[in-house]
């Protein structure tokens, strides 16, 4: 178990990748602080983790609110006395529109939740990590920052800001023992995508086959498997990595 006894906060623990990361981190031995805006959903998830033999607590948090970010970090300290890892996975996806006609309010919200929210959370945990002289921050980003896709402009802009935040903090925290890295996810097979594919009706299988053929690994990567890269970056196995951007998208970023 590569995260044994590490205390890890995971934001954006919604259906799909967020929940997969929480379950997987707990299975790898982490004490997980499950966080998202939906209190009922995260309490169910934390309960499932505990029933499976893991350790987890649920703490609601809207990362656009500084006081809630600080309260999330405090809850981790109150429960386990330290914070070893932070996974910034909270996001807001604006409408699928071209930037030439996009709602500016939605763009600002995406930036506030994805990029500025990650900074709020980093500021909430860095004092503890500095005192410990150790810690790992992993920012969950997207293939769309490398490979522009129609309608993804607003979301990708915010994630690109998150990518730069990783590099900037990695340098600013030099010598502190705190590492900051990025995992760039692409198409992932999980609850959200399964729901979308099912909505295609008779065209579902054709879509699945076409998308799989376009990805170099030959299939749409399962979200639970993509999450393993995040555990690696959180773990001591990545002790010499900071400021790195790791593509976890089946090679889709290099495909034409």
């Amino acid at each position: 178990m590569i995260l044994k006894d590490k205390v890890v906060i995971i934001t954006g623990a919604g259906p799909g990748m967020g929940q997969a990361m929480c379950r997987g981190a707990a299975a790898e031995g982490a004490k997980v602080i499950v966080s998202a805006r939906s209190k009922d959903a995260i309490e169910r998830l934390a309960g499932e983790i505990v029933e499976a033999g893991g350790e987890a607590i649920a703490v609601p948090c809207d990362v656009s609110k500084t006081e809630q970010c600080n309260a999330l970090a405090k809850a981790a300290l109150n429960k386990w006395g330290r914070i070893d890892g932070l996974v910034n996975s909270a996001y807001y996806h604006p409408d699928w529109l071209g930037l030439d006609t996009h709602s500016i309010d939605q763009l600002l919200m995406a930036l506030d939740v994805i990029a500025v929210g990650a900074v709020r959370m980093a500021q909430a945990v860095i004092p503890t990590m500095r005192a410990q002289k150790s810690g790992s921050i992993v920012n969950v980003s997207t293939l769309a920052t490398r490979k522009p896709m129609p309608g993804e402009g607003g979301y990708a802009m915010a994630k690109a800001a998150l990518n730069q935040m990783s590099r900037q903090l990695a340098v600013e925290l030099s010598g502190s023992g705190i590492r900051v890295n990025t995992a760039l996810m692409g198409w992932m097979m999980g609850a959200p995508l399964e729901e979308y594919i099912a909505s295609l009706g008779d065209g579902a299988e054709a879509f699945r086959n076409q998308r799989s053929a376009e990805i170099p690994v030959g299939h749409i990567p399962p979200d639970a498997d993509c999450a393993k890269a995040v555990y690696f970056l959180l773990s001591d196995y990545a002790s010499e990595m900071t400021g790195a951007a790791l593509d976890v998208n089946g090679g889709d970023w290099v495909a034409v």
Side-chain angles (χ1 to χ4, degrees):
M1 293 193 290
I2 65 173
L3 298 178
K4 185 171 173 55
D5 296 328
K6 291 189 181 295
V7 177
V8 177
I9 297 171
I10 300 178
T11 69
M17 180 66 174
Q19 292 189 5
M21 285 191 295
C22 290
R23 291 192 178 95
E28 289 291 346
K31 305 173 194 296
V32 183
I33 299 88
V34 180
S35 185
R37 288 181 298 174
S38 173
K39 184 173 184 290
D40 291 343
I42 61 174
E43 286 182 346
R44 281 195 302 272
L45 178 56
E48 291 170 6
I49 290 171
V50 171
E51 286 175 10
E55 294 186 71
I57 59 171
V59 182
C61 179
D62 179 346
V63 298
S64 70
K65 311 295 182 186
T66 299
E67 66 278 7
Q68 292 189 30
C69 294
N70 292 334
L72 176 54
K74 187 173 187 296
L77 289 173
N78 289 345
K79 177 66 175 178
W80 286 301
R82 60 184 294 114
I83 301 171
D84 299 293
L86 165 66
V87 180
N88 282 313
S89 183
Y91 76 97
Y92 164 76
H93 199 302
D95 290 343
W96 294 71
L97 295 170
L99 290 178
D100 58 331
T101 59
H102 216 297
S103 161
I104 297 300
D105 287 342
Q106 287 190 7
L107 294 178
L108 290 172
M109 185 178 296
L111 285 162
D112 190 30
V113 172
I114 293 171
V116 183
V119 174
R120 291 188 187 96
M121 281 306 309
Q123 290 180 347
V125 304
I126 283 172
T128 295
M129 290 181 173
R130 277 191 191 275
Q132 296 167 177
K133 295 182 171 53
S134 67
S136 175
I137 297 172
V138 180
N139 293 320
V140 179
S141 187
T142 174
L143 165 70
T145 62
R146 294 203 191 278
K147 189 176 181 179
M149 303 176 189
E152 287 272 54
Y155 177 68
M157 280 176 59
K159 287 291 192 179
L162 182 66
N163 296 353
Q164 180 58 28
M165 177 268 215
S166 293
R167 293 189 288 267
Q168 187 71 29
L169 265 186
V171 172
E172 291 181 1
L173 295 172
S174 295
S176 67
I178 304 170
R179 300 179 295 105
V180 189
N181 292 293
T182 307
L184 294 98
M185 307 296 175
W187 287 78
M188 289 183 290
M189 191 56 69
L193 184 55
E194 289 282 10
E195 184 177 338
Y196 169 72
I197 292 175
S199 74
L200 299 176
D202 292 342
E205 194 60 27
F207 173 86
R208 188 190 299 267
N209 291 339
Q210 177 183 342
R211 190 78 276 268
S212 295
E214 292 168 345
I215 299 173
V217 294
H219 60 265
I220 301 173
D223 55 12
D225 288 336
C226 293
K228 294 173 183 175
V230 175
Y231 317 147
F232 164 70
L233 291 173
L234 287 170
S235 79
D236 295 339
Y237 286 104
S239 63
E240 307 312 306
M241 292 179 64
T242 194
L246 185 62
D247 279 276
V248 192
N249 45 57
D252 203 2
W253 78 282
V254 296
V256 176

